[in-house]
Each structure stands twice: as structure tokens, then as C-alpha cells.
Amino acid sequence: MKNTSKKEIGKEIISTTDITKSFGKFQALKGITSKVFEKEVVVVFGPSGSGKSTYIRTLNRLEPHDSGQIIIDGVELNDDVKNLQHVRSNIGMVFQQFNLFPHLSVLRNITLAPQKVKGMKRSEADDIAMSLLKRVGIPEQADKFPSQLSGGQQQRLAIARALAMQPKIMLFDEPTSALDPEMIKEVLEVMTELAESGMTMICVTHEMGFAREVADRFLFFDEGLIVEEGTPDHFFNNPKEDRTKLFLSQIL
Amino acid sequence: MNQQLKWAYNTFSGSFYNTFITFISLVIFGFIASNLVGFISTSEWAVVTENKRLLLVGRLPQGEEWRAWSILWISSFLIFSSLNIFVKPSIKELIFISVIFVSVCLIFITQDALFNVIIFTTLSLGSYLFAKYISQTPYITIFRKLLVFMWISIIPLMFLVLIIGDGPKPTLWGGFLLNIILAGVAISIGFPLGLLFALGRASQLPAVKIVCTIYIETIRGAPLVGWLLLAWFVLPKFLPEFWNLNETSVVIRAMIILSAFTSAYTAEVIRGGLQSIPKGQIEAADSLNLNLYTKLTLIILPQAIRVVIPALISTFIAVFKDTSLVFVLALTDILQVGRIIPEQDPQFFGKALEALSVVAFLFWIVSMALSNLSTRVERSMGIGTR
């Protein structure tokens, strides 16, 4: 159930104003206005094609938005490369397909970015990587290659890799959708621990049990718009919109 | 033992078709083998033994052989120490290598070259054992780096040895030496160039993309012989006059054309590898804020090149064999030597088959070594395949 030790929600860290995005004729985002605060855990869900993945991918400009404004940690996200680097250095991302680097060992997967982007020494990066591997529970796998790990271990490695850059915000794009059922739990445990440690998180997920436990706020997407927004209690007890009710009845 | 017998029975004669295929194969194999043995034992090999020098170094002037020998010594040190350090052959492979080594020595050994051959043999064996010894000491990392550095600088080194101290004109280079040099240059210039063209063609910048595409398609659109003839007749008119660039040796012109040709083909091979990289890899690199250079050199290229190693090596093998086409520039590579001698030397009239089969054998050894290298590299890079 909802963690009782209410954490302090901080100041505003992500603000999007009326952002749109089209792929050819298909309009994936039709004007999204949202705010996320420090230490907040926001769960984004909705039917497929509703724009939820596109939304979080615009936040670190994997998909450049067409119009509107995105401000992250006081910096506007636009064509300016300096701004982009500032934003990306503050955002970690975890993908549905893990996207680990298959030709690098588990340890190198984590240390690559700290060494190359932050100019960290190898020994220092190794130490950080080992402590992160301990945190996600796979320190004994350090010298293996990603393909030798189970799906759940791979996703935990992906989380560790993103955390190595010490981001202020973590984005999760359906992190458990490519996993076998018995492996979902181990990944969700890591995510729960992360949420409790006060990380600002935006998760696209349909794991409603997890969402209900850790989320501070839900965003329900449909057809490129935020249809309904509120606390988990609001969604589970009395959702207002018909589309929300219909969707919840299908997935619960 | 019983198991093996059972396996042999099932494989070779388990069913009617297996028996039939075994029988046919045996007949074909026996036919080829008996002909081969007959050919080797009944032929007169004087055409080869008398013309070793022409076959190996062409018209390289008397007294300049030490240049070819030093190249051979340097490369034997490199090849045999790398064999131990990087490849670690099994006993079977070692025997195979020795057989090839001995047969090449037997074909090409002569009285006056005996001393050089002995140095060569000792050096090969010595560097193999030396590498074996050093791999158990802490100097192994330095030695590894030294070897890699030497491999990178082998082509300039060869040039240096050939040119230093008033060496013979490049047009006098010939025989197998010429094939090796041309192939070495074509590959070591063509590969990095091809990499750049591949990246250019995959680039988002339209100007770069168009230029690279036009280059690749133009070079690939005409046969190599055509380009070589172009180099013969037309290239001098395009090259600037200062430094006498318009009168550069045909060997240099052949090198330019072969490198350009190799680069176009490698570019297409590498582009195939680039396309096999999932979009997620680039997204992951972007989300970690890696810059373009790191992304290319540490994420994209290592994976892209690993995928295309077999295709890349077969391009290299093709280039190596294509070097024999430089006969259109009136250069005498080994194939040309093997073709001309039986035609023009009355002593060896009608001995074309003997001469050409030895030429083929030499080409085969190098191609075989390259293709073995490819499987090796693939296997050693295979750890962590997706």
C-alpha cells in the first residue's frame, strides 16, 4: 500500500507546455501540458498509440517536439546543443528493450558514460559501478556480457547504467513489458527502492500494483492527450472520464 | 569405438541415398587425387625452379634482393609472433602451417638463397618461441602493443625498405612481391577510406551523403580493368604538373586505383554493418549523453564491423587476387610471370600448367590464411553476441 512516510515533494523540475509531435500524418502528441516536481513519481499509462512513450521520449529529446515548450531543471529544451547536453546529463532513461551494449562487459556498460562524458578515472568509475551493481543486486555478474544475463538482470543492469550518470530524473519506458512474468518482480523491486530513495521518476507502465504502491500521481493518455490526471486513489476509486473507466476495466 | 562405428555406418551408408552419395564422392575424390598425384610426379618443374626469382620478385635488379629478404624477415617475425600471441593455434593447425611452410620453402629454395632461407626459418621459429616465452612474463602487454604498432606501420616500413638508399624504380618491382605490396597498400588505405565513405553515406548531411554515394556508385559501376586503363591513359592529364606528379610511376597509379576500388567496396560492406545496428543502441548512447565521436568509435563501429568481418575479409581476398590485373599497366606480377615464361622462353615451351599451378598455390595460401584469420577474429569477437 501507499508508503506512509510521506516524502517531501520538491519544486517544479519538468514543465511542458502544449507540446505536439507528428510522425508524418499521424499526430502522436496533440498538446501536452504537464508539470513534474522533484522527488515525485509519476506513472503514465494509456492504450497503445496514445502517445505516452512519445511523451517521455520528448523529455530527453530522443524525439524532438514540433511545437510547445519543454523546460527541465530551468533549461529549455531546443536546438541548442549546450541545453540538450545539460538536460541529458540530468536525465537517465530505461528502455523496454534494455538497449544494453552487447559488445561490452556488464561493468563496462556502466562505466563507459562516466568515463567518457564526465572524464572519470577508470578505478573511480569501477567503484561506482560495483556499488550500483550491488544496489540492483547483481554484483557477481560484473565480468559477464549482457547476453549471459537473464532478462530481469539485464533490465536491472540498464537501470544501474542510467544511475551511474547520477541523474536527477529517471524515465522508464515500459521497463517490464519485454520480461517474463517471473522476472518482472525483481525489476519492480529495484524501481520501488529507487522511488523510496527520493528519485524523480516518470514511468510508462501497466503494472498497476506497482503503480498504486509507489506513484504520487497518474497521467492517463489517450489519442495524444492527457485525458485524466490524479492520485492513485482517485483513479482506483472514482475515475471521472468514461475512457479512463473503460481502459482501467480492461487492464485490471 | 562401437559408437564411432555406428556413426560412420549411419553417416556413410545408413540409407540407400547415403550409400549412393558416398560412392559417388569416393569416385570423384579418387579421380581428382590420382590425377593430381600423377600431375605432380610426372611434370617437369624446371619451369618453376629455374625461374623462382622472376616469380617472386620479378625484374628486381641483381644485388637488390636483400630488400625483398628483409621484408620477408620482418613479416615472418610479425606473423609468427602474432600467431602465438593473438591466434593461439591448435596442434592440428600448427601441423598444417608447418606443412605449407615447408612446401613453400621446398619449391623456392636455391643454392645461393640457402643462407637467407635458413635465417628466415630460424627467425620464424624463433619469434614463435620468443612470443611463447614472453607471453608468460609481465612484458606481454608491451609486446602486444609493439606488435599492433608494427602491423599498422608494416606498409610504410615495406616502402622504406624498398626505396631506402637509392632503391630500384617501382616499375621494376614485380612477381609475388608486387602482388603483396599492391594488396597491402590497397587494403590499408582502402579500409579506413571505405569506413569514412560508409559513414558519409549514412550521414544525415545531404551534401556529404550525395558526394559519398556518387563516389561509391561511380567506382563500383565500372570494372577494375577499366579503371586501371583509365589510370594508364587519362590520370596523368588530371594530375597537377608540379613535383612531376603527372609523371608518377604506374605502380603508384595502380595503388591509387586499387585503393579507390577497395574503399568503394568496403564502404558498401561496412554500410551494411551500420544498418544492422538497432536504433535502440543509438538511443541508449544518446540518453547517456555520449558525444558523436564516442558513440561512433565505442558503440556503433565495433558492433557494425564485427557483423561484417566475413564480408570484409572476402572483399580483401578479392582485392588481393585482383592485383594480378595490373598486367594491363605493363607490370609483371606473379601471374603475368607464370603466363609469359612458358610462352616466350623456348626452354619451357608448353609448361604453362606447371607454372600457373604454382602461382595458384601461392595465391591459395594467402587467401586461405586470410579466411582463417576471418573465422578466428569472428570467434574471438563472438563473446557477448546478442
Side-chain angles (χ1 to χ4, degrees):
Chain A
M1 287 297 99
K2 186 116 180 115
N3 46 339
T4 43
S5 57
K6 251 307 193 199
K7 62 190 171 192
E8 293 272 312
I9 298 292
K11 64 183 195 313
E12 178 184 309
I13 192 163
I14 297 176
S15 149
T16 67
T17 316
D18 207 24
I19 52 171
T20 63
K21 172 75 189 172
S22 299
F23 298 102
K25 280 184 184 164
F26 176 70
Q27 198 173 7
L29 299 180
K30 294 175 181 165
I32 303 291
T33 302
S34 65
K35 279 185 170 41
V36 177
F37 299 90
E38 270 181 359
K39 298 191 177 182
E40 195 179 22
V41 176
V42 175
V43 162
V44 177
F45 69 108
S48 78
S50 61
K52 52 194 191 309
S53 276
T54 312
Y55 165 66
I56 75 164
R57 286 158 61 86
T58 55
L59 297 180
N60 64 352
R61 212 171 168 78
L62 289 181
E63 304 286 3
H65 54 288
D66 296 338
S67 68
Q69 194 184 37
I70 302 178
I71 295 176
I72 288 168
D73 201 23
V75 176
E76 186 179 353
L77 202 51
N78 49 26
D79 288 332
D80 190 329
V81 178
K82 266 198 180 143
N83 287 4
L84 178 64
Q85 283 179 346
H86 178 84
V87 166
R88 281 187 177 162
S89 67
N90 282 324
I91 296 188
M93 187 157 188
V94 175
F95 301 87
Q96 181 178 357
Q97 299 297 340
F98 325 140
N99 294 347
L100 298 167
F101 304 131
H103 60 301
L104 298 176
S105 73
V106 166
L107 199 66
R108 291 284 148 255
N109 260 281
I110 303 177
T111 58
L112 179 73
Q115 277 182 286
K116 297 295 168 188
V117 180
K118 290 191 171 173
M120 210 179 267
K121 280 201 194 104
R122 183 161 170 169
S123 57
E124 199 186 340
D126 282 357
D127 289 345
I128 290 178
M130 281 315 293
S131 68
L132 281 171
L133 283 176
K134 279 194 192 104
R135 187 170 170 189
V136 300
I138 48 171
E140 72 285 354
Q141 314 285 353
D143 296 323
K144 288 190 184 165
F145 281 85
S147 58
Q148 294 166 301
L149 307 185
S150 72
Q153 290 172 329
Q154 291 192 28
Q155 193 59 295
R156 287 188 277 162
L157 168 58
I159 295 172
R161 179 179 72 175
L163 288 175
M165 292 298 284
Q166 288 154 332
K168 291 181 182 166
I169 305 160
M170 285 285 281
L171 306 177
F172 291 85
D173 188 0
E174 308 207 28
T176 55
S177 302
L179 294 174
D180 291 336
E182 74 270 25
M183 291 173 181
I184 291 176
K185 195 169 152 250
E186 61 189 56
V187 171
L188 292 181
E189 274 169 3
V190 171
M191 287 171 65
T192 308
E193 187 267 326
L194 198 60
E196 281 164 0
S197 76
M199 176 65 76
T200 311
M201 288 163 59
I202 304 183
C203 314
V204 174
T205 184
H206 291 138
E207 292 298 328
M208 289 326 245
F210 160 80
R212 189 171 194 167
E213 194 183 332
V214 303
D216 297 301
R217 195 146 53 91
F218 278 10
L219 298 179
F220 176 64
F221 272 61
D222 195 16
E223 294 182 349
L225 288 168
I226 298 178
V227 175
E228 193 163 356
E229 167 175 3
T231 62
D233 286 343
H234 163 82
F235 268 85
F236 284 108
N237 297 329
N238 51 350
K240 271 186 296 192
E241 301 286 332
D242 288 341
R243 275 187 286 175
T244 318
K245 283 178 196 163
L246 181 67
F247 185 73
L248 281 172
S249 72
Q250 280 165 345
I251 64 167
L252 287 177
Chain B
M1 192 64 209
N2 222 348
Q3 280 251 304
Q4 282 158 0
L5 271 179
K6 205 172 167 191
W7 171 84
Y9 176 77
N10 282 336
T11 313
F12 297 118
S13 59
S15 70
F16 170 73
Y17 286 109
N18 280 4
T19 319
F20 181 68
I21 291 168
T22 305
F23 178 71
I24 293 286
S25 316
L26 274 180
V27 168
I28 294 173
F29 180 76
F31 180 72
I32 292 175
S34 74
N35 273 327
L36 201 63
V37 169
F39 170 66
I40 291 174
S41 57
T42 56
S43 301
E44 286 174 35
W45 293 98
V47 60
V48 176
T49 49
E50 301 282 303
N51 293 304
K52 284 166 193 162
R53 189 195 159 82
L54 272 177
L55 283 169
L56 291 181
V57 294
R59 289 176 293 152
L60 200 70
Q62 293 285 347
E64 304 283 1
E65 302 91 342
W66 63 272
R67 296 174 195 277
W69 282 112
S70 348
I71 290 174
L72 194 64
W73 292 332
I74 296 170
S75 26
S76 72
F77 164 73
L78 254 185
I79 291 172
F80 281 87
S81 40
S82 311
L83 208 61
N84 190 289
I85 300 278
F86 298 113
V87 182
K88 303 214 183 307
S90 63
I91 300 283
K92 227 170 159 185
E93 283 164 322
L94 271 182
I95 293 171
F96 186 70
I97 291 168
S98 325
V99 167
I100 299 254
F101 187 86
V102 169
S103 48
V104 171
C105 282
L106 281 183
I107 296 176
F108 291 105
I109 206 161
T110 47
Q111 208 86 59
D112 34 313
L114 196 61
F115 177 65
N116 287 323
V117 171
I118 290 172
I119 295 186
F120 170 57
T121 316
T122 356
L123 198 65
S124 306
L125 221 92
S127 34
Y128 186 82
L129 294 175
F130 177 69
K132 193 165 189 165
Y133 164 73
I134 214 161
S135 60
Q136 282 149 2
T137 65
Y139 299 111
I140 171 75
T141 42
I142 303 168
F143 191 64
R144 253 170 202 273
K145 277 181 189 150
L146 179 80
L147 281 181
V148 170
F149 175 74
M150 279 184 80
W151 272 115
I152 293 169
S153 52
I154 180 88
I155 296 295
L157 206 68
M158 273 168 116
F159 269 106
L160 198 69
V161 173
L162 280 170
I163 289 165
I164 201 167
D166 202 20
K169 278 190 296 179
T171 26
L172 292 178
W173 300 348
F176 207 46
L177 179 71
L178 181 66
N179 291 88
I180 299 275
I181 290 177
L182 285 177
V185 169
I187 291 167
S188 55
I189 294 178
F191 174 63
L193 217 59
L195 196 64
L196 292 181
F197 279 118
L199 291 174
R201 197 170 180 177
S203 158
Q204 314 248 321
L205 307 168
V208 177
K209 189 175 176 154
I210 289 171
V211 169
C212 292
T213 311
I214 290 176
Y215 172 85
I216 293 168
E217 295 304 338
T218 312
I219 299 276
R220 292 200 317 155
L224 181 54
V225 175
W227 285 115
L228 287 170
L229 286 174
L230 211 66
W232 182 235
F233 295 115
V234 184
L235 201 58
K237 291 184 183 154
F238 281 93
L239 289 171
E241 272 180 37
F242 56 88
W243 295 345
N244 288 339
L245 274 179
N246 55 340
E247 287 169 18
T248 40
S249 151
V250 272
V251 177
I252 309 292
R253 279 186 249 163
M255 284 173 182
I256 295 173
I257 294 295
L258 282 167
S259 307
F261 206 71
T262 314
S263 73
Y265 277 88
T266 18
E268 281 303 274
V269 169
I270 294 172
R271 194 168 68 99
L274 291 176
Q275 281 172 342
S276 76
I277 305 293
K279 204 169 154 230
Q281 291 290 309
I282 293 152
E283 286 178 353
D286 280 341
S287 78
L288 290 169
N289 210 2
L290 300 181
N291 62 25
L292 183 64
Y293 178 76
T294 316
K295 200 160 67 174
L296 268 181
T297 54
L298 296 179
I299 306 296
I300 299 174
L301 286 180
Q303 297 185 59
I305 291 181
R306 187 176 67 193
V307 176
V308 297
I309 279 172
L312 213 51
I313 300 273
S314 58
T315 308
F316 292 166
I317 291 176
V319 167
F320 170 63
K321 290 181 297 184
D322 282 349
T323 55
S324 55
L325 288 174
V326 294
F327 78 89
V328 301
L329 301 181
L331 295 172
T332 41
D333 76 304
I334 188 170
L335 183 63
Q336 193 65 358
V337 175
R339 204 175 65 83
I340 286 177
I341 294 170
E343 277 180 10
Q344 300 187 347
D345 194 336
Q347 200 188 337
F348 305 118
F349 272 158
K351 295 287 175 199
L353 196 55
E354 284 84 352
L356 289 178
S357 58
V358 168
V359 171
F361 180 60
L362 282 186
F363 272 109
W364 178 78
I365 290 172
V366 176
S367 309
M368 185 77 179
L370 278 174
S371 83
N372 260 326
L373 183 75
S374 130
T375 29
R376 279 294 181 162
V377 175
E378 244 181 294
R379 224 181 298 158
S380 71
M381 287 176 122
I383 341 159
T385 38
R386 62 178 74 248

